Amino acid sequence: MSLEDDQMLEEREGETDESTECRSEPQRFRSEEDKHQPTDTPSTLKKKELQGAIYHGLPEVSRTEHIVNSIPWYIKPLVPALFNLLNSVMRWASLVFVAASAAEKLISGMELVLSVLAARCVRGRRVAWVRWAGVAIVTIGTCSVGLIHTLYVSNGNDADMETEKVNSSRDQVIGIVLIFGQSVMSVIQDLSEELFMQEGGVPPALLMGMEGLYGLIFGLVFYIPIAPFLGEQPSDVANDLKNGKMIGLSLGWTVLVTITGIFNIASTGVTSSMTRNAWKNVRTCVIWAAALIIFYAVGNPELGEEWMIPESFYILISFIVMLAGIYMYGKG
Protein backbone atom coordinates (compact mmCIF):
# COMPACT_ATOMS: atom_id res chain seq x y z
CA MET A 1 0.00 0.00 0.00
CA SER A 2 1.39 3.41 -1.00
CA LEU A 3 1.81 6.44 1.20
CA GLU A 4 -1.08 8.19 -0.52
CA ASP A 5 -3.37 5.24 0.19
CA ASP A 6 -2.43 5.35 3.87
CA GLN A 7 -3.25 9.05 4.06
CA MET A 8 -6.65 8.55 2.38
CA LEU A 9 -7.48 5.74 4.80
CA GLU A 10 -6.59 7.90 7.81
CA GLU A 11 -8.77 10.77 6.49
CA ARG A 12 -11.77 8.40 6.10
CA GLU A 13 -11.31 7.06 9.65
CA GLY A 14 -11.20 10.64 10.99
CA GLU A 15 -14.40 11.53 9.16
CA THR A 16 -16.07 8.42 10.58
CA ASP A 17 -15.05 9.34 14.15
CA GLU A 18 -16.33 12.94 13.74
CA SER A 19 -19.66 11.79 12.34
CA THR A 20 -20.02 9.32 15.22
CA GLU A 21 -19.33 12.08 17.73
CA CYS A 22 -21.82 14.39 15.99
CA ARG A 23 -24.47 11.71 16.05
CA SER A 24 -23.87 10.88 19.71
CA GLU A 25 -23.83 14.54 20.84
CA PRO A 26 -27.64 15.13 20.64
CA GLN A 27 -28.19 11.81 22.35
CA ARG A 28 -25.90 12.91 25.19
CA PHE A 29 -27.80 16.21 25.49
CA ARG A 30 -31.10 14.38 25.52
CA SER A 31 -29.98 12.10 28.30
CA GLU A 32 -28.91 15.12 30.37
CA GLU A 33 -32.24 16.84 29.71
CA ASP A 34 -34.07 13.71 30.80
CA LYS A 35 -32.27 13.90 34.11
CA HIS A 36 -33.72 17.37 34.71
CA GLN A 37 -37.29 16.44 33.72
CA PRO A 38 -39.68 16.80 36.71
CA THR A 39 -40.85 13.53 38.18
CA ASP A 40 -44.16 12.83 39.90
CA THR A 41 -43.39 13.29 43.57
CA PRO A 42 -45.94 12.21 46.22
CA SER A 43 -47.05 15.83 46.62
CA THR A 44 -47.48 16.20 42.84
CA LEU A 45 -49.48 13.00 42.61
CA LYS A 46 -51.66 14.13 45.52
CA LYS A 47 -52.25 17.48 43.80
CA LYS A 48 -53.25 15.74 40.55
CA GLU A 49 -55.57 13.42 42.47
CA LEU A 50 -57.16 16.41 44.22
CA GLN A 51 -57.65 18.23 40.91
CA GLY A 52 -59.23 15.09 39.49
CA ALA A 53 -61.69 15.00 42.38
CA ILE A 54 -62.58 18.67 41.94
CA TYR A 55 -63.05 18.60 38.17
CA HIS A 56 -64.50 15.10 37.99
CA GLY A 57 -67.21 15.04 35.33
CA LEU A 58 -66.97 18.74 34.42
CA PRO A 59 -66.83 19.85 30.76
CA GLU A 60 -63.52 21.13 29.36
CA VAL A 61 -65.01 24.58 28.76
CA SER A 62 -66.67 26.06 31.84
CA ARG A 63 -70.22 27.36 31.50
CA THR A 64 -69.93 29.83 34.35
CA GLU A 65 -66.30 30.99 34.54
CA HIS A 66 -66.93 34.23 32.63
CA ILE A 67 -69.82 35.10 34.95
CA VAL A 68 -67.83 34.29 38.09
CA ASN A 69 -64.82 36.35 36.98
CA SER A 70 -67.03 39.34 36.14
CA ILE A 71 -68.12 39.66 39.80
CA PRO A 72 -65.78 41.79 42.00
CA TRP A 73 -64.02 39.81 44.73
CA TYR A 74 -65.66 41.77 47.55
CA ILE A 75 -69.14 41.10 46.12
CA LYS A 76 -68.68 37.34 45.72
CA PRO A 77 -69.11 36.53 49.46
CA LEU A 78 -72.27 38.65 49.45
CA VAL A 79 -74.09 36.07 47.31
CA PRO A 80 -73.75 33.02 49.62
CA ALA A 81 -74.27 35.25 52.67
CA LEU A 82 -77.64 36.42 51.35
CA PHE A 83 -78.83 32.92 50.52
CA ASN A 84 -77.53 31.67 53.87
CA LEU A 85 -79.72 34.24 55.62
CA LEU A 86 -82.79 33.19 53.61
CA ASN A 87 -81.90 29.56 54.21
CA SER A 88 -81.76 30.07 58.00
CA VAL A 89 -85.01 32.05 58.16
CA MET A 90 -86.95 29.40 56.23
CA ARG A 91 -85.35 26.57 58.19
CA TRP A 92 -86.34 27.95 61.59
CA ALA A 93 -89.79 28.98 60.34
CA SER A 94 -90.47 25.45 59.08
CA LEU A 95 -90.00 24.10 62.62
CA VAL A 96 -93.13 25.97 63.66
CA PHE A 97 -95.21 23.79 61.34
CA VAL A 98 -93.26 20.49 61.11
CA ALA A 99 -91.62 18.36 63.81
CA ALA A 100 -87.87 18.98 64.02
CA SER A 101 -86.95 15.32 63.50
CA ALA A 102 -89.04 15.04 60.34
CA ALA A 103 -87.87 18.45 59.06
CA GLU A 104 -84.18 17.50 59.43
CA LYS A 105 -84.62 14.32 57.39
CA LEU A 106 -86.67 16.03 54.66
CA ILE A 107 -84.09 18.82 54.41
CA SER A 108 -81.21 16.34 54.06
CA GLY A 109 -82.98 14.39 51.32
CA MET A 110 -84.12 17.44 49.36
CA GLU A 111 -80.74 19.18 49.54
CA LEU A 112 -78.98 16.10 48.19
CA VAL A 113 -81.30 15.65 45.20
CA LEU A 114 -81.37 19.37 44.38
CA SER A 115 -77.58 19.71 44.65
CA VAL A 116 -77.07 16.91 42.13
CA LEU A 117 -79.59 18.50 39.75
CA ALA A 118 -77.91 21.91 40.17
CA ALA A 119 -74.46 20.47 39.46
CA ARG A 120 -75.79 18.80 36.32
CA CYS A 121 -77.76 21.78 35.00
CA VAL A 122 -75.58 24.74 36.07
CA ARG A 123 -72.04 23.38 35.79
CA GLY A 124 -72.77 20.63 33.29
CA ARG A 125 -71.17 18.01 35.54
CA ARG A 126 -71.65 14.48 34.25
CA VAL A 127 -73.11 12.27 36.96
CA ALA A 128 -72.58 8.54 36.59
CA TRP A 129 -75.56 6.26 36.97
CA VAL A 130 -73.87 4.72 40.04
CA ARG A 131 -73.99 8.12 41.75
CA TRP A 132 -77.61 8.65 40.74
CA ALA A 133 -78.42 5.26 42.27
CA GLY A 134 -76.48 6.22 45.40
CA VAL A 135 -78.39 9.49 45.68
CA ALA A 136 -81.70 7.64 45.34
CA ILE A 137 -80.74 5.11 48.03
CA VAL A 138 -79.52 7.82 50.41
CA THR A 139 -82.75 9.75 49.93
CA ILE A 140 -84.85 6.65 50.59
CA GLY A 141 -82.88 5.86 53.75
CA THR A 142 -83.01 9.44 55.03
CA CYS A 143 -86.74 9.84 54.43
CA SER A 144 -87.39 6.44 56.05
CA VAL A 145 -85.61 7.58 59.21
CA GLY A 146 -87.72 10.74 59.30
CA LEU A 147 -90.94 8.82 58.71
CA ILE A 148 -90.16 6.31 61.47
CA HIS A 149 -89.26 9.10 63.88
CA THR A 150 -92.53 10.83 63.11
CA LEU A 151 -94.75 7.75 63.37
CA TYR A 152 -93.14 5.97 66.31
CA VAL A 153 -90.54 7.80 68.33
CA SER A 154 -92.00 11.29 68.36
CA ASN A 155 -95.52 10.02 69.02
CA GLY A 156 -94.73 6.86 70.94
CA ASN A 157 -95.77 8.17 74.36
CA ASP A 158 -99.51 8.37 74.96
CA ALA A 159 -99.13 11.28 77.38
CA ASP A 160 -97.15 13.19 74.78
CA MET A 161 -99.83 12.47 72.20
CA GLU A 162 -102.48 13.99 74.44
CA THR A 163 -100.51 17.11 75.26
CA GLU A 164 -98.82 17.67 71.92
CA LYS A 165 -100.69 19.75 69.40
CA VAL A 166 -101.36 17.84 66.21
CA ASN A 167 -100.51 19.90 63.14
CA SER A 168 -103.28 20.35 60.65
CA SER A 169 -102.83 19.41 57.02
CA ARG A 170 -102.55 23.11 56.21
CA ASP A 171 -99.64 23.48 58.63
CA GLN A 172 -97.98 20.44 57.10
CA VAL A 173 -98.23 21.94 53.63
CA ILE A 174 -96.80 25.27 54.81
CA GLY A 175 -93.96 23.45 56.57
CA ILE A 176 -93.08 21.38 53.50
CA VAL A 177 -93.13 24.48 51.27
CA LEU A 178 -90.76 26.24 53.68
CA ILE A 179 -88.50 23.19 53.79
CA PHE A 180 -88.39 23.06 49.98
CA GLY A 181 -87.60 26.79 49.82
CA GLN A 182 -84.90 26.37 52.47
CA SER A 183 -83.36 23.50 50.50
CA VAL A 184 -83.27 25.60 47.32
CA MET A 185 -81.60 28.51 49.16
CA SER A 186 -79.07 26.14 50.74
CA VAL A 187 -78.17 24.54 47.40
CA ILE A 188 -77.68 27.96 45.77
CA GLN A 189 -75.45 28.98 48.68
CA ASP A 190 -73.35 25.81 48.42
CA LEU A 191 -73.08 26.02 44.63
CA SER A 192 -72.06 29.69 44.70
CA GLU A 193 -69.34 28.89 47.24
CA GLU A 194 -68.12 26.07 45.02
CA LEU A 195 -67.98 28.32 41.94
CA PHE A 196 -66.23 31.19 43.70
CA MET A 197 -63.56 28.92 45.19
CA GLN A 198 -62.92 26.67 42.20
CA GLU A 199 -63.41 29.11 39.31
CA GLY A 200 -62.98 32.48 41.01
CA GLY A 201 -59.94 31.52 43.07
CA VAL A 202 -61.33 32.91 46.34
CA PRO A 203 -59.54 31.35 49.37
CA PRO A 204 -61.94 29.33 51.55
CA ALA A 205 -61.00 31.16 54.78
CA LEU A 206 -61.51 34.58 53.19
CA LEU A 207 -64.84 33.53 51.69
CA MET A 208 -66.11 32.18 55.01
CA GLY A 209 -64.95 35.23 56.97
CA MET A 210 -66.50 37.78 54.63
CA GLU A 211 -69.63 35.67 54.33
CA GLY A 212 -69.98 35.79 58.11
CA LEU A 213 -69.40 39.56 58.17
CA TYR A 214 -72.07 40.16 55.53
CA GLY A 215 -74.40 37.80 57.41
CA LEU A 216 -73.93 39.79 60.61
CA ILE A 217 -74.75 43.02 58.80
CA PHE A 218 -77.83 41.49 57.17
CA GLY A 219 -78.97 40.01 60.47
CA LEU A 220 -78.75 43.33 62.31
CA VAL A 221 -80.47 45.25 59.51
CA PHE A 222 -83.39 42.82 59.43
CA TYR A 223 -83.58 41.96 63.15
CA ILE A 224 -83.75 45.46 64.69
CA PRO A 225 -86.95 46.58 62.88
CA ILE A 226 -88.62 43.13 63.02
CA ALA A 227 -87.83 42.27 66.67
CA PRO A 228 -90.75 44.28 68.20
CA PHE A 229 -93.23 42.34 66.06
CA LEU A 230 -91.78 39.12 67.49
CA GLY A 231 -92.26 40.31 71.05
CA GLU A 232 -88.57 41.08 71.57
CA GLN A 233 -86.62 44.27 72.13
CA PRO A 234 -82.98 44.67 71.02
CA SER A 235 -82.27 46.38 74.36
CA ASP A 236 -83.43 43.24 76.22
CA VAL A 237 -81.05 41.13 74.14
CA ALA A 238 -78.20 43.52 75.00
CA ASN A 239 -79.02 43.14 78.72
CA ASP A 240 -79.07 39.35 78.43
CA LEU A 241 -75.58 39.42 76.95
CA LYS A 242 -74.31 41.00 80.19
CA ASN A 243 -74.94 37.68 81.91
CA GLY A 244 -71.70 35.68 82.26
CA LYS A 245 -73.40 32.36 81.46
CA MET A 246 -75.00 33.83 78.35
CA ILE A 247 -71.65 35.23 77.21
CA GLY A 248 -70.04 31.81 77.66
CA LEU A 249 -72.79 30.08 75.69
CA SER A 250 -72.59 32.70 72.94
CA LEU A 251 -68.81 32.37 72.63
CA GLY A 252 -69.01 28.58 72.67
CA TRP A 253 -71.68 28.60 69.97
CA THR A 254 -69.61 31.03 67.89
CA VAL A 255 -66.52 28.82 68.10
CA LEU A 256 -68.55 25.72 67.24
CA VAL A 257 -70.17 27.36 64.22
CA THR A 258 -66.78 28.68 63.06
CA ILE A 259 -65.16 25.24 63.20
CA THR A 260 -68.12 23.67 61.44
CA GLY A 261 -68.04 26.37 58.77
CA ILE A 262 -64.33 25.85 58.14
CA PHE A 263 -64.80 22.12 57.57
CA ASN A 264 -67.91 22.65 55.45
CA ILE A 265 -66.45 25.24 53.12
CA ALA A 266 -63.10 23.43 52.88
CA SER A 267 -64.83 20.19 51.88
CA THR A 268 -66.78 22.06 49.19
CA GLY A 269 -63.56 23.61 47.88
CA VAL A 270 -61.73 20.30 47.44
CA THR A 271 -64.71 18.25 46.21
CA SER A 272 -68.08 19.76 45.31
CA SER A 273 -71.30 20.88 46.96
CA MET A 274 -72.90 17.72 45.58
CA THR A 275 -70.43 15.45 47.37
CA ARG A 276 -70.65 17.54 50.52
CA ASN A 277 -74.43 17.12 50.68
CA ALA A 278 -74.07 13.37 50.14
CA TRP A 279 -71.66 12.94 53.04
CA LYS A 280 -73.56 15.41 55.21
CA ASN A 281 -76.20 12.75 55.80
CA VAL A 282 -73.71 10.87 57.98
CA ARG A 283 -74.30 13.63 60.53
CA THR A 284 -77.83 12.35 61.16
CA CYS A 285 -76.47 8.87 61.92
CA VAL A 286 -73.82 10.27 64.28
CA ILE A 287 -76.41 12.39 66.11
CA TRP A 288 -78.68 9.39 66.61
CA ALA A 289 -75.82 7.25 67.94
CA ALA A 290 -74.71 10.07 70.27
CA ALA A 291 -78.28 10.47 71.56
CA LEU A 292 -78.40 6.77 72.46
CA ILE A 293 -75.06 6.96 74.28
CA ILE A 294 -76.08 10.10 76.20
CA PHE A 295 -79.40 8.55 77.29
CA TYR A 296 -77.79 5.49 78.87
CA ALA A 297 -74.63 7.27 80.09
CA VAL A 298 -76.36 10.18 81.86
CA GLY A 299 -79.44 8.34 83.07
CA ASN A 300 -81.68 11.38 82.58
CA PRO A 301 -84.78 10.43 80.53
CA GLU A 302 -85.02 14.01 79.26
CA LEU A 303 -81.61 13.78 77.57
CA GLY A 304 -80.77 11.63 74.60
CA GLU A 305 -82.92 8.95 73.01
CA GLU A 306 -84.00 5.59 74.32
CA TRP A 307 -83.61 2.36 72.35
CA MET A 308 -87.16 1.33 71.54
CA ILE A 309 -88.36 -1.99 70.14
CA PRO A 310 -89.09 -2.38 67.27
CA GLU A 311 -88.82 1.30 66.21
CA SER A 312 -85.07 1.65 66.80
CA PHE A 313 -84.40 -1.47 64.71
CA TYR A 314 -86.26 0.15 61.80
CA ILE A 315 -84.19 3.31 62.23
CA LEU A 316 -80.98 1.26 62.29
CA ILE A 317 -81.94 -0.51 59.07
CA SER A 318 -82.76 2.83 57.43
CA PHE A 319 -79.36 4.20 58.44
CA ILE A 320 -77.65 1.13 56.99
CA VAL A 321 -79.50 1.74 53.71
CA MET A 322 -78.42 5.39 53.80
CA LEU A 323 -74.77 4.51 54.42
CA ALA A 324 -74.89 1.96 51.59
CA GLY A 325 -76.12 4.72 49.28
CA ILE A 326 -73.28 7.01 50.39
CA TYR A 327 -70.77 4.21 49.72
CA MET A 328 -72.25 3.66 46.27
CA TYR A 329 -72.06 7.38 45.57
CA GLY A 330 -68.39 7.43 46.59
CA LYS A 331 -67.59 4.48 44.31
CA GLY A 332 -69.09 6.41 41.37
Side-chain angles (χ1 to χ4, degrees):
M1 183 178 293
S2 63
L3 183 60
E4 294 180 355
D5 293 337
D6 292 339
Q7 291 178 349
M8 292 177 61
L9 182 60
E10 290 177 356
E11 290 177 356
R12 289 176 181 175
E13 289 177 353
E15 292 176 357
T16 304
D17 294 339
E18 290 178 359
S19 62
T20 304
E21 290 179 1
C22 292
R23 286 196 302 270
S24 62
E25 192 71 13
Q27 184 177 0
R28 182 171 63 85
F29 286 146
R30 283 197 300 270
S31 62
E32 290 180 357
E33 290 176 358
D34 291 339
K35 293 179 182 178
H36 297 287
Q37 288 294 330
T39 57
D40 286 337
T41 61
S43 60
T44 305
L45 292 173
K46 186 176 181 180
K47 185 177 181 181
K48 289 182 178 179
E49 183 180 354
L50 180 61
Q51 290 176 345
I54 293 175
Y55 300 109
H56 176 72
L58 290 176
E60 295 182 1
V61 180
S62 173
R63 296 180 178 182
T64 54
E65 187 174 2
H66 63 288
I67 300 176
V68 171
N69 291 331
S70 65
I71 303 175
W73 69 269
Y74 52 87
I75 298 296
K76 288 175 181 175
L78 184 66
V79 178
L82 177 61
F83 286 105
N84 184 31
L85 177 65
L86 297 174
N87 160 22
S88 300
V89 171
M90 291 186 177
R91 187 187 191 98
W92 291 110
S94 67
L95 299 180
V96 178
F97 303 97
V98 180
S101 58
E104 182 66 27
K105 311 308 181 298
L106 289 173
I107 288 170
S108 299
M110 285 187 182
E111 285 184 358
L112 176 58
V113 175
L114 291 174
S115 63
V116 177
L117 292 175
R120 183 70 185 93
C121 298
V122 177
R123 301 201 70 184
R125 188 185 291 272
R126 295 187 302 274
V127 182
W129 68 268
V130 177
R131 288 197 163 185
W132 280 113
V135 169
I137 294 174
V138 171
T139 304
I140 292 172
T142 305
C143 293
S144 298
V145 173
L147 182 62
I148 294 168
H149 255 290
T150 303
L151 295 179
Y152 292 98
V153 178
S154 298
N155 298 323
N157 193 304
D158 292 338
D160 292 339
M161 291 179 64
E162 293 176 0
T163 58
E164 183 179 358
K165 178 182 177 181
V166 180
N167 292 328
S168 64
S169 57
R170 176 175 172 272
D171 291 340
Q172 294 286 344
V173 171
I174 294 174
I176 292 174
V177 171
L178 288 172
I179 289 173
F180 180 78
Q182 181 273 331
S183 300
V184 172
M185 298 298 107
S186 178
V187 168
I188 296 176
Q189 175 196 348
D190 294 342
L191 186 61
S192 62
E193 291 174 346
E194 175 186 333
L195 290 172
F196 293 149
M197 286 187 290
Q198 295 181 5
E199 297 187 354
V202 181
L206 177 63
L207 182 61
M208 189 192 70
M210 293 192 66
E211 187 177 332
L213 177 62
Y214 282 128
L216 176 62
I217 296 172
F218 285 146
L220 292 175
V221 169
F222 284 106
Y223 174 74
I224 292 175
I226 295 177
F229 296 98
L230 300 176
E232 299 178 2
Q233 293 295 333
S235 58
D236 296 337
V237 177
N239 292 328
D240 292 337
L241 292 176
K242 295 178 181 179
N243 188 329
K245 184 178 180 180
M246 185 63 66
I247 293 175
L249 291 173
S250 300
L251 292 176
W253 177 255
T254 302
V255 172
L256 180 62
V257 170
T258 301
I259 296 174
T260 304
I262 290 173
F263 280 109
N264 282 339
I265 203 165
S267 63
T268 302
V270 298
T271 56
S272 67
S273 57
M274 180 177 69
T275 300
R276 169 185 163 183
N277 282 319
W279 282 98
K280 193 167 66 175
N281 288 277
V282 178
R283 178 180 62 187
T284 310
C285 181
V286 174
I287 292 173
W288 180 66
L292 290 173
I293 294 173
I294 290 173
F295 180 85
Y296 290 101
V298 176
N300 187 345
E302 296 182 357
L303 297 177
E305 183 174 319
E306 182 182 6
W307 180 273
M308 303 176 65
I309 299 175
E311 296 84 359
S312 296
F313 283 108
Y314 297 153
I315 294 175
L316 179 60
I317 293 172
S318 299
F319 276 130
I320 292 174
V321 172
M322 183 184 71
L323 293 176
I326 295 174
Y327 174 79
M328 183 177 293
Y329 175 91
K331 296 294 288 185

